[in-house]
Amino acid sequence: MQKMKRPSFALCCLFAFSLVSCGGGPGEEPSKDSSSCQHQFALKSETPSTCESSGSQIYECSLCGYDKTVALDPLGHAFGDWAQEKQASCTESEVLERHCTRAGCSKKEEKAGQEALGHLWGEWAREGDSMKRHCQREGCNAEQEKAAPFIKIISSGEEVSPFLPAVEEYLNAETPDVKDYVRNDGGIQGYLVRFIDTYSEVKEVRIDYSKREDFSTYQSVFAESAKKSCALYNLEKASTYYVRACVQEEGREVYSAIETLQTASYGPRVMKIDGIHNVRDIGGYETPSGRTLQGLLFRGGALSPSTDPAFTKIQLSEEGKEYMSGTLGIKTDFDLRTQAENRAPDTPLDSGLTSSPVPGAKLEYYGVGGYESGLANKEGYRRVFSALSDPSRYPIYLHCTGGADRTGTVSYLLNGLLGVSEEDLIHDYEFTSFSIYGERNSKGGEYHFPQLVSEIASYPGSTLSEKTESYLLSCGVGEEEIYNIKAIFHGQKTKLSLSCPSHFDTIAESTLTLQVKGGFENVTSLTLNGIGTPFEVKGDSLLVRKEDFPASLQDGEVQGAVVIDGVSYSFSFQLSGSSSLIAFDFSSGDIVLNDSKSKISGNVIGYQGKTALFRIKESATHGGTYLFIGSYGVYLRGDGFRLAQRSGDSFSESAPRVYVEGANLPQSKVNGGVLLGVAANALNEKTIRLEIYADKVKLGYHDFARVEDEIPSEEARFELAISGDVAQASLSSPQSAD
């Protein structure tokens, strides 16, 4: 319906006029004919307008009753101020609204306010194999996810070799001549480990490796992330290693999955140790009794500069010392040279090392040669293999200067004894050709390897192992010692070795010491000539005090027995005491000789074979010392004993100079303290034999023609005098120390 406008002022006047002129006056009946009525309208009713709806007014003619409707326009909304209806969020804009203020109107309007805020993301964090980050705005649960960076070891699943390609070719050739492969870089490249690393910020990757899958113990190396690989050295051959990679991510360690690495079973286990060369493990080879143990004995070159001018820069570094001591646990520095060889060029002969460059290792010298000429020194090789039978010495570092010839000879004998194949023995010997020490060729040449092989082959036996054992037995190496060497390298229990001194002097000594090699748990009893005797266990020694000896023991052979871990071991020694006498009266303590007192007369010893015993406790001397029993004596100077003569109360060296054969005693040992013994024995009416002992070992003797003015036996005292250039000597009772 068309809306009507409000009547104008003119229209209202006209309307009022019509009221007057409708045809009747006030109070008169309106005309029935409205068309002719001069209407007089009055407001009859009104419908008010609202904000959105039109209103109306109805007017009625008072004359004729005619109704007339006038439309009213809508009022329109009277909105208040805009107000926030909903805050802006990460994904939605702010909503504003306003309401109409007219009574009864509920109309409202909305519009967008501030735009959506966007997410306030936190830091990316690893959750499993993914990286996630979460919106930090209160009430927002939005998250984002992406693939996490990762580190992975690439495993080929195949046996891995540490050798350089040329050396690999040599080891796998049927009949190689090592001269065609000689090099000086060690021959190895290490065991190559490859990895994938997708961490953009990581510069370094740590590679852990262990023989234990739980990594309860492991070693590590570091590699540049960009290189995607690294080399592992010194792994045991024919072994399974577990390998993992590790990176630092936001202060925590992230590990790769664990992969396995199978090391090659052929060739020697070559070691890379900083500062030294030509090092390899002597174990790890197949034998009829199984693969020999690794990590027990390492062969190699010198640990420090030697007299060979070509190798003056050899020096185990601090890193090498830490590795040999801490990782390998070397206990014994087993030097096949003499002490005089273990020194730098142009240094004094006596400047050879007295302690090992390997921290905590005991340095032992053996002074043996190599090849067939070295084998002739059977006593030297007896000492070497007797020592190798002692499990307490392991792990051992065995060496000479280059670790090639003397070391190669001992290695050949040891692995030959264990049953290592001829091919492996040759590879082990020739591998020196890949070091700075030069070619060693089993086919011959400058070095005598063929002669060594031929010499061992001449001994009885059907196998190299049996022939080697025959040679060692001929050297005096005991069957028990050979058994223990085999047991050590095959991981079997060794037999105990019990050693006892051959002689015990109750005058010079206070304690009998039995050495037990091989380790034990319990010692239950000890007897001497069948009589139970008290003892003390101290480390690997059994100590028996002479006060605890059975009273029935007499000079002569004593048979003993000791039960260790349920097994009885026998021993024997010669007991003496009635044949020894203390040289001087030490009841007032030690005796000091110096410039003011250079001679002393002791107890009567006589010519019946009694031994005068005393101990030089310390001596600061560069001169000589006279030792006399009655009319007969010797002069100790330098490293030996010379004949001396008596004139009244004076002593002098005999002329011409004559040495007591075999009686050698280094002056350094005298200066440091030694137990000395001198005995005079009248062999017949014409001869007196003078015998000399040091630390209970007979050094030598000389037969003197008896002199006409001989001091009678019953008056023959022991006398000692120091020469004029001796500063001081301190003498003590032989019982003051063992």
Side-chain angles (χ1 to χ4, degrees), residues 497-504 509 511-517 526-528 542 544 549 558-562 569-575 696:
S497 175
L498 180 69
S499 62
C500 174
S502 60
H503 180 269
F504 185 84
E509 301 168 275
T511 304
L512 173 68
T513 301
L514 306 177
Q515 295 288 340
V516 183
K517 292 195 301 183
L526 185 147
T527 61
L528 297 178
L542 305 181
V544 185
F549 283 8
V558 175
Q559 295 291 332
V562 59
Y569 297 85
S570 60
F571 60 93
S572 64
F573 60 92
Q574 289 291 324
L575 179 67
K696 300 175 286 184

Side-chain angles (χ1 to χ4, degrees), residues 4 68 100 207 248 274 349 366 486:
M4 296 182 64
K68 180 180 179 179
C100 182
I207 304 296
Q248 290 285 335
D274 193 48
L349 284 173
Y366 289 89
K486 294 178 180 179

Side-chain angles (χ1 to χ4, degrees), residues 8-187:
S8 65
F9 177 77
L11 182 60
C12 290
C13 292
L14 178 62
F15 183 65
F17 174 76
S18 66
L19 291 177
V20 177
S21 57
C22 278
E28 294 182 1
E29 187 73 23
S31 173
K32 300 299 182 181
D33 185 2
S34 61
S35 60
S36 61
C37 180
Q38 297 293 319
H39 298 300
Q40 295 182 5
F41 287 105
L43 183 63
K44 178 181 180 181
S45 63
E46 181 177 7
T47 301
S49 295
T50 65
C51 295
E52 295 181 352
S53 302
S54 300
S56 64
Q57 291 177 327
I58 299 176
Y59 292 88
E60 182 181 29
C61 178
S62 59
L63 298 178
C64 65
Y66 175 73
D67 289 339
K68 180 180 179 179
T69 302
V70 178
L72 302 177
D73 290 335
L75 300 177
H77 293 293
F79 286 107
D81 294 331
W82 290 100
Q84 187 183 68
E85 191 276 331
K86 183 179 180 182
Q87 290 182 341
S89 67
C90 297
T91 57
E92 296 180 347
S93 300
E94 178 187 32
V95 176
L96 300 177
E97 69 177 15
R98 61 181 181 175
H99 296 267
C100 182
T101 59
R102 296 187 190 281
C105 182
S106 60
K107 180 67 175 179
K108 67 178 181 179
E109 286 185 334
E110 292 184 353
K111 71 174 182 178
Q114 183 181 4
E115 293 182 353
L117 302 177
H119 291 296
L120 182 62
W121 295 113
E123 297 295 329
W124 287 102
R126 181 182 291 273
E127 294 184 19
D129 293 330
S130 300
M131 298 293 291
K132 290 185 179 181
R133 63 178 182 175
H134 300 270
C135 182
Q136 304 298 299
R137 295 192 191 282
E138 184 177 356
C140 183
N141 297 320
E143 67 177 20
Q144 286 185 325
E145 182 176 353
K146 66 179 181 179
F150 65 92
I151 180 80
K152 179 181 179 181
I153 298 290
I154 303 173
S155 175
S156 66
E158 299 177 350
E159 187 176 272
V160 182
S161 165
F163 304 109
L164 290 167
V167 177
E168 188 82 27
E169 180 183 334
Y170 157 78
L171 290 171
N172 289 289
E174 289 189 9
T175 56
D177 191 329
V178 75
K179 72 179 181 182
D180 299 328
Y181 301 91
V182 173
R183 57 196 305 132
N184 63 4
D185 55 9

